[in-house]
Amino acid sequence: MLRDPLSAERAARDGVTGIRDVADIVFSAETVDRALLDGLGEAFARPYAIVNVSGLIGGQVDQAAEYVRIIRHLVERGLAVVVLPHVSRPDADDLEACEEVVRRLDGTPVRFVRTLGTPASIRGLAAEASVVVTGRMHLAIMSIWSGRPAITLATQGKVEGLMRLLGTPSLCVEPEAGFADRVVRVIDEVLPEDAPVRASIAAALPRVRELAAENLAGLGGRPGDARTDDALDAAVA
């Protein structure tokens, strides 16, 4: 059971048999919690963007400088910005990576969420965002789950496969020096409500959710069951 066409192609080249196409199981989740969004307060401005800085990528490139440019561009486009860590562990800490970017912003206004939300609360926050920029694939999935475009820095080939499945290759950006230039261009492309990328996501989501449900075939649970959704959230927390 392989969650994107790129993974399936690699497995086939390696001689794997019995390949079954599915999608990432997180697309099967159905719960939403507004706790993170409500925690920003009634006065929090809209429209807004979510920006995640991944602790996985900092060793490859000076991503803080790139993210400063991205955030300033979002603010210039009239969006409030929520800086959101997604994973915090000693070897790949988004919280530290996000803090470094916020320190370098030199007064550019952002809302920095310094705690890790539950998957359901992240879905609730992402559901109303105009755009998401992230280095974490599962944050991208939780955003795309609501039809929100998620510009995602590529790691280990999995992001490329996800975006091919959705028909949105422009949302996959290589984390190399100067990547802010590409991200800024894609932000401008996807912000309009009639952007082709948004239409591609909307068209792909029904089939992607069907493929994700195949992960649970024969297990006695289905998306929407309380215990099933709890298990999905635990898997990506």
Side-chain angles (χ1 to χ4, degrees), residues 147-236:
R148 306 290 89 189
I151 303 166
T152 312
L153 299 184
T155 53
Q156 302 174 347
K158 58 188 180 180
V159 175
E160 294 92 330
L162 169 66
M163 298 311 178
R164 188 192 296 186
L165 178 65
L166 293 162
T168 58
S170 64
L171 295 180
C172 178
V173 175
E174 291 295 327
E176 56 194 14
F179 72 78
D181 291 341
R182 171 75 184 278
V183 171
V184 163
R185 287 196 299 271
V186 179
I187 286 170
D188 291 342
E189 290 171 6
V190 304
L191 279 180
E193 287 299 319
D194 61 351
V197 164
R198 293 177 184 269
S200 294
I201 291 171
L205 271 176
R207 177 57 179 159
V208 169
R209 289 189 174 117
E210 289 177 359
L211 288 170
E214 290 297 307
N215 289 285
L216 304 172
L219 298 181
R222 67 181 189 279
D225 290 344
R227 284 183 296 179
T228 301
D229 272 3
D230 287 346
L232 289 171
D233 281 356
V236 296

Side-chain angles (χ1 to χ4, degrees), residues 4-237:
D4 65 73
L6 188 57
S7 296
E9 289 172 8
R10 285 199 301 260
R13 285 197 302 269
D14 289 341
V16 176
T17 59
I19 294 171
R20 184 172 173 182
D21 291 328
V22 296
D24 194 288
I25 195 170
V26 177
F27 280 113
S28 295
E30 293 190 355
T31 55
V32 175
D33 181 349
R34 289 179 55 91
L36 278 179
L37 181 57
D38 292 344
L40 296 174
E42 292 183 2
F44 177 68
R46 287 158 171 81
Y48 64 90
I50 296 172
V51 174
N52 160 258
V53 188
S54 169
L56 280 174
I57 295 171
Q60 304 175 41
V61 64
D62 180 14
Q63 64 174 347
E66 308 286 347
Y67 271 103
V68 166
R69 183 178 173 215
I70 291 165
I71 290 171
R72 287 177 175 161
H73 181 75
L74 289 165
V75 172
E76 289 168 1
R77 288 298 308 265
L79 278 74
V81 174
V82 179
V83 178
L84 181 71
H86 188 63
V87 175
S88 182
R89 59 175 185 258
D91 59 335
D93 191 349
D94 292 8
L95 186 57
E96 290 183 1
C98 288
E99 286 175 341
E100 173 64 18
V101 170
V102 172
R103 280 196 298 269
R104 294 202 200 182
L105 282 171
D106 193 27
T108 301
V110 296
R111 297 294 293 272
F112 183 10
V113 177
R114 287 181 165 83
T115 58
L116 300 182
T118 66
S121 69
I122 292 168
R123 289 191 289 270
L125 180 63
E128 296 187 26
S130 296
V131 64
V132 176
V133 180
T134 178
R136 295 288 183 178
M137 186 187 73
H138 280 116
L139 177 54
I141 291 173
M142 292 176 195
S143 306
I144 293 165
W145 184 88
S146 294
R148 306 290 89 189
I151 303 166
T152 312
L153 299 184
T155 53
Q156 302 174 347
K158 58 188 180 180
V159 175
E160 294 92 330
L162 169 66
M163 298 311 178
R164 188 192 296 186
L165 178 65
L166 293 162
T168 58
S170 64
L171 295 180
C172 178
V173 175
E174 291 295 327
E176 56 194 14
F179 72 78
D181 291 341
R182 171 75 184 278
V183 171
V184 163
R185 287 196 299 271
V186 179
I187 286 170
D188 291 342
E189 290 171 6
V190 304
L191 279 180
E193 287 299 319
D194 61 351
V197 164
R198 293 177 184 269
S200 294
I201 291 171
L205 271 176
R207 177 57 179 159
V208 169
R209 289 189 174 117
E210 289 177 359
L211 288 170
E214 290 297 307
N215 289 285
L216 304 172
L219 298 181
R222 67 181 189 279
D225 290 344
R227 284 183 296 179
T228 301
D229 272 3
D230 287 346
L232 289 171
D233 281 356
V236 296

